[in-house]
Amino acid sequence: MEKGGQIEDSEILDRNKELRASSTKAQPRRVLRPLAPSTYLLRNLGKTAPLVGVIMLAVLLVAGIISMIDSIPYSIRTTYNYSQEMVGITPRGDPTQTQVILSDVRKNSPVPLERIVICRVSSTQIHSIVGKWPFYVLGLSPADMDFYLHRQHSTGITGRLPEVGKAECVVSDPVARNLALKIGSVVQGPDMDESWSPYRVKVVGIAHTDRWLIVNPIQYQRENHFPPIDLGMVFAKNLHDQNILDHWTEKHFKGKRAAVLAYFQIEKNTQDMFKTLFAILDVVIGTLVMVITFMMGMLMNIYQSQRLVEFGLLQAIGYTKKNLLMRVLREAVAVITLGWLFGVLLAFAMLNVVRATLMAPKAFGLDTLDPTAFRYTIPLPLTILLVATLTVFLRFRKFDPVGVVERRLV
């Protein structure tokens, strides 16, 4: 009997161990850590989700405003990015100086040259975000036109190249979208004051490239457009040398009878042009951050006031003020980080929708990953975290857990 009793006792002990082990495995992890910061946030989404939502919408607002404003200079740089491939030189109205200037470039260029192209230019206009903007029709010889289209990354043409001397032209995909052009459309004409030409210059080809360009025969330009001045476009042999050539050309011809058009000048002029606008924008965004931060500070204060009983009981059972402060700050960091991340993702999604529906149909430029826009959102969560930290610190500075437990504060 004794032996049988020992066997039964051991079986009961083994069974109890199995039951305890199985109950421990079945127990959710958050029950094992009921005081973890994530536990309160997940169990009280009705209180934490609005905080995350406010931060998310604030980030969306800041990133959206900056990206849309920054799209103006970005569109200008995109429109004239064909000049990255060359540097243009004009003899300041003196037709006798064109060959002199270009011979000087051939002789003294600091980098190997691939080609010097002679062209004529007439004006037209395109649509930009801020209204109509000047653009140029380049008159080129057939050989130079082939070279120019290839250098501007054209992968092919729908239609054909213009015939020598005819009132015909080739436009690129962005220009065709911007001006709603198709084969047979008119780019210049006698009844178009902003894009005047004595004959109706029709589109006979659309070049497939992301560069903005309009080209037609140089013979037509020479016969029908004035002043009768040939311009030069100088192409470096290696593209990475083009920037060196651009800066050298500007410095070399400074003060001489030659005007230089280079891409770095466009970038500099664009920055100078919108410097005041972005200074005003800094004030607007700064004010917005202050308003949102003040609002978030009040929300954080209300949010923490609703948890006084919880904090009093935790301190009564052994939590120190430092423990409570660190716990609340970890919660605040989690809420603010989630709000910022979701805000960035929402801003990226919104900007892609704006680009597809509003900007792309007119070939306007919009950088959906604009680093400037997202850098402007960083002060927002940092400022909110600072205000939240001060709010929590001041509340715990004179916190009385005994008063809470005795129901004097509720």
Side-chain angles (χ1 to χ4, degrees):
M1 291 295 293
E2 187 176 333
K3 186 175 181 180
Q6 291 177 350
I7 293 174
E8 290 177 0
D9 291 342
S10 64
E11 289 178 351
I12 292 172
L13 290 173
D14 292 340
R15 191 175 298 127
N16 288 338
K17 289 180 180 179
E18 292 176 359
L19 289 173
R20 284 197 299 270
S22 62
S23 65
T24 302
K25 291 179 180 178
Q27 203 173 22
R29 181 172 178 81
R30 64 175 178 269
V31 175
L32 295 178
R33 301 180 60 205
L35 301 180
S38 58
T39 302
Y40 182 87
L41 297 178
L42 293 174
R43 288 182 176 178
N44 296 273
L45 290 178
K47 296 179 179 179
T48 57
L51 296 176
V52 174
V54 170
I55 298 172
M56 181 175 66
L57 293 176
V59 171
L60 169 66
L61 183 62
V62 172
I65 291 174
I66 297 297
S67 293
M68 295 302 295
I69 295 297
D70 205 27
S71 68
I72 301 175
Y74 181 76
S75 290
I76 294 174
R77 292 193 299 269
T78 301
T79 300
Y80 297 106
N81 66 355
Y82 63 84
S83 59
Q84 293 183 72
E85 305 291 334
M86 53 82 180
V87 56
I89 307 176
T90 171
R92 297 187 185 276
D94 187 350
T96 64
Q97 292 299 306
T98 301
Q99 290 300 331
V100 175
I101 292 169
L102 297 181
S103 297
D104 188 351
V105 173
R106 288 191 187 94
K107 180 179 179 181
N108 299 302
S109 172
V111 299
L113 301 180
E114 181 172 2
R115 197 180 189 111
I116 294 181
V117 172
I118 302 294
C119 68
R120 283 287 181 96
V121 174
S122 59
S123 63
T124 184
Q125 287 191 329
I126 57 173
H127 300 302
S128 74
I129 297 176
V130 293
K132 292 184 178 181
W133 205 266
F135 200 68
Y136 305 102
V137 180
L138 296 180
L140 302 170
S141 68
D144 288 339
M145 190 177 297
D146 286 335
F147 167 79
Y148 185 73
L149 291 174
H150 176 73
R151 186 69 181 247
Q152 297 294 340
H153 312 292
S154 175
T155 58
I157 295 178
T158 297
R160 60 176 175 83
L161 292 175
E163 296 182 10
V164 175
K166 294 292 185 68
E168 300 173 342
C169 69
V170 168
V171 301
S172 62
D173 286 325
V175 174
R177 292 201 308 273
N178 182 263
L179 299 176
L181 300 175
K182 57 185 179 180
I183 302 297
S185 297
V186 177
V187 174
Q188 295 175 309
D191 56 346
M192 303 170 68
D193 291 338
E194 299 164 343
S195 305
W196 186 87
S197 189
Y199 300 96
R200 294 165 64 86
V201 179
K202 295 184 178 181
V203 176
V204 296
I206 299 177
H208 303 309
T209 175
D210 61 347
R211 301 294 176 85
W212 292 61
L213 57 90
I214 307 175
V215 294
N216 70 346
I218 191 172
Q219 292 84 355
Y220 176 82
Q221 294 264 17
R222 284 173 171 164
E223 292 173 3
N224 297 284
H225 284 276
F226 298 91
I229 301 172
D230 289 336
L231 313 178
M233 295 190 296
V234 185
F235 297 82
K237 189 174 185 61
N238 300 311
L239 186 57
H240 65 269
D241 289 336
Q242 188 66 51
N243 190 51
I244 299 173
L245 178 62
D246 292 353
H247 283 82
W248 173 85
T249 305
E250 183 194 49
K251 184 177 180 180
H252 183 72
F253 289 105
K254 188 173 183 178
K256 299 181 181 179
R257 191 180 291 275
V260 175
L261 173 65
Y263 185 72
F264 77 89
Q265 294 174 332
I266 295 174
E267 287 190 315
K268 181 179 181 298
N269 293 337
T270 302
Q271 291 173 358
D272 294 340
M273 186 186 308
F274 293 97
K275 185 181 295 183
T276 303
L277 177 62
F278 277 98
I280 296 173
L281 192 61
D282 287 339
V283 175
V284 173
I285 297 301
T287 304
L288 181 63
V289 169
M290 289 176 59
V291 171
I292 294 174
T293 301
F294 180 72
M295 182 177 64
M296 283 300 301
M298 292 190 297
L299 289 176
M300 285 286 185
N301 189 46
I302 297 171
Y303 174 69
Q304 302 301 339
S305 297
Q306 295 173 343
R307 302 175 63 188
L308 287 179
V309 175
E310 174 194 351
F311 297 145
L313 292 174
L314 287 175
Q315 192 168 356
I317 64 175
Y319 266 61
T320 64
K321 289 184 179 180
K322 181 179 179 181
N323 295 143
L324 292 176
L325 180 62
M326 294 306 298
R327 180 172 183 263
V328 173
L329 288 181
R330 283 195 292 268
E331 292 177 2
V333 169
V335 168
I336 292 170
T337 302
L338 285 175
W340 183 80
L341 288 175
F342 287 150
V344 167
L345 293 175
L346 184 61
F348 176 72
M350 184 203 71
L351 290 172
N352 274 282
V353 172
V354 170
R355 183 174 66 175
T357 58
L358 180 63
M359 311 297 275
K362 286 292 186 180
F364 297 151
L366 176 64
D367 187 1
T368 58
L369 292 174
D370 186 356
T372 302
F374 293 107
R375 277 200 304 268
Y376 266 79
T377 66
I378 295 176
L380 191 61
L382 294 179
T383 309
I384 293 174
L385 180 60
L386 177 62
V387 172
T389 302
L390 291 174
T391 302
V392 173
F393 176 77
L394 293 175
R395 180 160 294 279
F396 282 112
R397 186 179 179 185
K398 297 181 179 180
F399 189 68
D400 181 13
V402 177
V404 174
V405 174
E406 291 178 349
R407 302 282 184 173
R408 288 209 302 261
L409 301 181
V410 294

